[in-house]
Amino acid sequence: MIPTFVSLQADLFRLPCLICHVPDWQNVKRDFLSSINWDDPDCNLEHFYSDFHRYFTRGEQPPYHMDLMEVLRGPLEFFAQENPGSQVLSSWCQRYSANQMHPVHTHGVIGYSAVFYAQLGRAHKPTCFFSPFPDPWSGFIDEKIPKCEEGDIIFFPSQCMHQSLPHAAAEDRIIFSFNIMQSPESIYA
């Protein structure tokens, strides 16, 4: 029997995400990526290149941070319109060669995170995200790979579990990532 009166049919929760494209990326890509010290022994880890521990965990900004913020100024300003008081404190870079990956992780429970796809070939997949809610019928955790391409940036809640999948491409996959926090004045205003 179909109910004769439905008072509300809506989602109780949602997981917001924003994908923006950086239109000038192809014009600045070569020069920008050549500014990274890809040979730094502190950043060449067993499974991939990452300057996260060299800069972010020490509370330092990498040398390219301000240039990256300039490249991403348009998407950051657009994000800030909906999220006043948001601020990027630091950033990091990661490069994955063939068959390399980054396992499932989060970036903490507060704020947003972003991934900028600086080099993402046709054989590469963007970040894979996992639903924080199991499917109510099967109990399985749903996963999504958003449609992103090189030059795109995706903003997502920091607590969302995600991973970088392995790929078989000859070309490296290069991303820049950062966390976004809101000033206390913005949160409690």
Side-chain angles (χ1 to χ4, degrees), residues 1-182:
M1 181 171 175
I2 298 174
T4 57
F5 177 72
V6 175
S7 62
L8 175 66
Q9 182 174 354
D11 293 334
L12 293 174
F13 303 101
R14 67 181 186 90
L15 192 64
C17 117
L18 172 68
I19 300 172
C20 299
H21 188 70
V22 178
D24 294 335
W25 177 242
Q26 291 305 316
N27 299 330
V28 299
K29 175 184 171 181
R30 188 169 55 96
D31 288 341
F32 186 84
L33 293 181
S34 69
S35 71
I36 309 298
N37 180 5
W38 300 112
D39 297 321
D40 186 333
D42 291 338
C43 300
N44 283 293
L45 308 175
E46 183 178 339
H47 302 290
F48 55 90
Y49 171 96
S50 175
D51 62 20
F52 179 81
H53 293 286
R54 176 145 175 95
Y55 299 110
F56 184 81
T57 59
R58 296 178 185 174
E60 300 173 9
Q61 291 183 355
Y64 56 78
H65 177 76
M66 294 311 292
D67 291 334
L68 178 64
M69 295 301 102
E70 182 60 30
V71 166
L72 301 176
R73 182 166 31 128
L76 287 169
E77 288 175 352
F78 186 79
F79 180 83
Q81 288 175 2
E82 293 295 318
N83 301 279
S86 57
Q87 48 191 320
V88 176
L89 303 178
S90 188
S91 55
W92 61 92
C93 175
Q94 298 196 173
R95 179 184 68 191
Y96 305 92
S97 298
N99 301 312
Q100 294 178 326
M101 52 93 67
H102 193 108
V104 175
H105 64 284
T106 70
H107 291 209
V109 296
I110 297 175
Y112 276 78
S113 296
V115 175
F116 173 59
Y117 300 102
Q119 188 165 288
L120 190 69
R122 294 185 195 276
H124 300 143
K125 291 188 180 197
T127 308
C128 177
F129 293 92
F130 297 89
S131 170
F133 313 109
D135 178 82
W137 296 112
S138 69
F140 294 131
I141 301 291
D142 190 22
E143 59 185 67
K144 297 258 189 244
I145 299 175
K147 292 183 181 183
C148 292
E149 58 187 43
E150 184 171 298
D152 285 352
I153 181 170
I154 183 168
F155 298 87
F156 57 93
S158 294
Q159 72 269 25
C160 186
M161 292 191 333
H162 59 285
Q163 72 176 348
S164 171
L165 297 168
H167 66 87
E171 181 183 50
D172 291 342
R173 176 184 188 264
I174 301 173
I175 63 100
F176 290 86
S177 194
F178 49 86
N179 295 328
I180 304 167
M181 303 301 279
Q182 277 188 319

